[in-house]
Amino acid sequence: MTETETIAYDVVVLGAGPVGENVADRTRAAGLTTAVVESELVGGECSYWACMPSKALLRPVIAQSDARRLPGLAQAVQGPLGTAAVLARRNYFTSDWKDDGQVAWLDGISADLYRGHGRLAGPRTVTVTGPDGTLTTLTARHAVAVATGTRAQLPDLPGLAEVKPWTSREATSAQEAPGRLIVVGGGVVATEMATAWQALGSRVTLLVRGKGLLNRMEPFAGELVADALKEAGVDVRTGTSVRSVTRENGTVVAVTDSGDRIEADEILFATGRVPHTDDIGLDTVGLEPGSWLSVDDTLLVEGTDWLYAVGDVNHRALLTHQGKYQARIAGAVIAARVADTPLLEAPWGAHVATADHDAVPQVVFTDPEAAAVGLSLAEAEQAGYRVRAVDVEFSSVAGAGLYGDGYKGRARMVVDLEAEILRGVTFVGPGVGELIHSATVAVAGEVPISRLWHAVPSYPTLSEVWLRLLEAYRG
């Protein structure tokens, strides 16, 4: 191993996914010299194995489903999807797993990229072992930001490694549809991939340990998505755990806790995420390797004055857009502390990630889509708010009928009865992903119900569901 000279920067960022890129963008905009360290592809999980490829797989599925709801068009789209063309388009959106464009973007903001495995080596120090074994030491005058994200968590089943199961990475990058696919899990990855591969020609069995799907959302969200998956042909089995998995002559055999034997060509475990912190040198700064990194609302790791943890790695909200939001906050915080200017740390201030607590939006791109922001009814009650849930069916909205025949969907707003603001909103139905930002503005802005009454939705759009919700609340 050859050691090079030590190089000093104002800021060093571990991880060049969208979160790390956004930290670098903000620190460079503040005039701080910035190094970014990445061991895989610049652009990270979201660009190559999560957000972009999964949505590229799902978009034709949803478009076809929408078309089938429209007389005059339905007959023309009854055939199967062109799987090869869908996969080719997915490949395009991942840039064929090449990061030239993302590297060029880093160059464009004058952030220096170091390829290799980065590890903390004490306060404000990062060593980078390059692909050729060369060791480079980077020191940070002001801050190190950890943005290494998470990786898929696999269950502790004997012999699982020999089975070579799919994780989210294989599920979003596969170059052909397996004839039979077992999906284990009931969350976002499980439901989205079951939706996609069933439509692309696989016969999917979905095994869910709990009572239903999408258990972090309102119960009706998982119920509507489960009904639609079953209608599409997915074999959905709730209350089911996998006891063992083997691969026999190329065939995957999963045995459930009830003794059922299920055969498939591939098996996907979508059973959670763990922090990518096991080998980044946390022990050199008094932290536990492999742990989530606890931070305050300025994204500063607790107990330090120089180390920041941004994105999935801090376990606040495992969503790309929320991580990018944190990155913008952290970049502004670092710049302000370097300039010795006061931080705006009151809730919703420029230097605190308040939305992580009160206004996290998420869209699940199943058919129907499920979208939510803020607190569910149960979460709001557990937080001690005096709340009321207001529910309406999308069938009460003219725009839903125009969107497609047989439109099924439901909306809920959780009203804080004392403050008369919204604590949470959930929409389930085709096309609602594009509706959730209006709810995010209402929740994050703490817009009073009395003022929302004057936000007139355009007719005849799905957004008229807002009027129906407010009418139901007022009685």
Side-chain angles (χ1 to χ4, degrees):
M1 182 179 292
T2 304
E3 185 169 358
T4 65
E5 76 278 12
T6 297
I7 307 172
Y9 289 88
D10 293 323
V11 180
V12 177
V13 181
L14 272 179
V19 175
E21 288 176 324
N22 271 262
V23 174
D25 183 48
R26 293 296 83 211
T27 56
R28 284 299 302 126
L32 303 177
T33 59
T34 303
V36 181
V37 182
E38 178 54 57
S39 62
E40 294 190 288
L41 296 175
V42 175
E45 202 78 13
C46 178
S47 298
Y48 306 104
W49 300 287
C51 319
M52 295 304 288
S54 66
K55 303 319 168 269
L57 289 174
L58 286 157
R59 178 60 196 143
V61 177
I62 304 303
Q64 183 185 54
S65 181
D66 285 344
R68 287 175 172 173
R69 296 185 179 99
L70 297 171
L73 181 57
Q75 236 4 71
V77 292
Q78 286 305 313
L81 287 169
T83 301
V86 172
L87 297 181
R89 184 172 184 267
R90 183 275 318 274
N91 293 352
Y92 168 80
F93 275 99
T94 62
S95 302
D96 290 309
W97 292 273
K98 297 176 183 176
D99 63 2
D100 300 25
Q102 304 265 12
V103 172
W105 182 86
L106 277 180
D107 288 342
I109 64 169
S110 298
D112 291 345
L113 172 65
Y114 290 83
R115 289 194 183 273
H117 181 67
R119 298 182 83 256
L120 292 166
R124 296 184 175 84
T125 304
V126 172
T127 59
V128 184
T129 304
D132 61 355
T134 299
L135 186 68
T136 303
T137 300
L138 308 175
T139 59
R141 300 183 187 92
H142 302 292
V144 174
V146 177
T148 50
T150 59
R151 64 175 184 275
Q153 181 179 37
L154 289 170
D156 185 17
L157 290 173
L160 186 60
E162 288 71 34
V163 173
K164 296 183 179 178
W166 279 10
T167 66
S168 53
R169 284 197 169 194
E170 289 78 18
T172 55
S173 62
Q175 294 299 320
E176 60 181 22
R180 301 161 299 172
L181 174 66
I182 298 169
V183 179
V184 183
V188 178
V189 172
T191 53
E192 287 189 347
M193 291 299 93
T195 299
W197 290 110
Q198 177 72 28
L200 291 169
S202 301
R203 190 163 72 251
V204 176
T205 301
L206 180 60
L207 305 180
V208 186
R209 184 174 58 183
K211 296 180 180 179
L213 307 180
L214 304 177
N215 60 12
R216 295 188 178 181
M217 287 187 165
E218 300 284 8
F220 65 82
E223 292 165 5
L224 288 169
V225 170
D227 289 345
L229 284 170
K230 292 173 185 176
E231 188 176 338
V234 176
D235 180 2
V236 180
R237 306 186 192 185
T238 57
T240 302
S241 296
V242 177
R243 189 174 66 196
S244 68
V245 182
T246 55
R247 191 180 285 272
E248 303 170 7
N249 299 319
T251 298
V252 173
V253 179
V255 179
T256 70
D257 51 359
S258 62
D260 290 341
R261 176 186 168 98
I262 306 168
E263 295 187 354
D265 299 288
E266 300 292 349
I267 184 167
L268 162 63
F269 281 93
T271 49
R273 310 285 298 180
V274 293
H276 215 320
T277 61
D278 52 313
D279 190 24
I280 61 167
L282 291 184
D283 54 307
T284 70
V285 294
L287 297 171
E288 182 69 27
S291 65
W292 302 101
L293 297 178
S294 297
V295 297
D296 63 18
D297 277 357
T298 69
L299 290 312
L300 187 68
V301 174
E302 293 175 355
T304 77
D305 62 0
W306 58 275
L307 184 63
Y308 295 77
V310 193
D312 285 8
V313 76
N314 62 36
H315 208 232
R316 286 164 69 101
L318 276 64
L319 296 159
T320 295
H321 50 268
Q322 210 67 23
K324 291 165 71 173
Y325 158 75
Q326 294 172 10
R328 295 190 292 271
I329 299 292
V333 168
I334 293 168
R337 284 178 170 148
V338 170
D340 199 25
T341 57
L343 296 186
L344 302 176
E345 295 185 79
W348 306 109
H351 300 115
V352 286
T354 308
D356 286 350
H357 309 297
D358 299 315
V360 175
Q362 181 175 22
V363 179
V364 184
F365 291 85
T366 45
D367 179 28
E369 292 175 346
V373 63
L375 305 178
S376 67
L377 174 62
E379 289 170 337
E381 290 174 339
Q382 290 166 6
Y385 294 112
R386 190 167 67 89
V387 292
R388 173 187 162 195
V390 181
D391 294 345
V392 299
E393 300 295 324
F394 268 96
S395 57
S396 65
V397 177
L402 289 168
Y403 191 98
D405 290 358
Y407 187 108
K408 295 179 182 177
R410 187 174 176 185
R412 167 174 287 182
M413 65 180 189
V414 178
V415 182
D416 184 324
L417 296 173
E418 295 178 359
E420 283 250 304
I421 60 174
L422 303 184
R423 292 296 175 187
V425 180
T426 299
F427 299 126
V428 183
V432 299
E434 296 300 336
L435 191 59
I436 198 61
H437 191 62
S438 59
T440 304
V441 171
V443 173
E446 298 181 343
V447 181
I449 292 284
S450 59
R451 180 57 63 87
L452 280 176
W453 185 253
H454 295 281
V456 182
S458 299
Y459 181 86
T461 66
L462 291 175
S463 292
E464 204 176 16
V465 74
W466 279 108
L467 176 57
R468 299 290 171 258
L469 286 165
L470 292 168
E471 287 174 337
Y473 176 67
R474 287 193 162 196

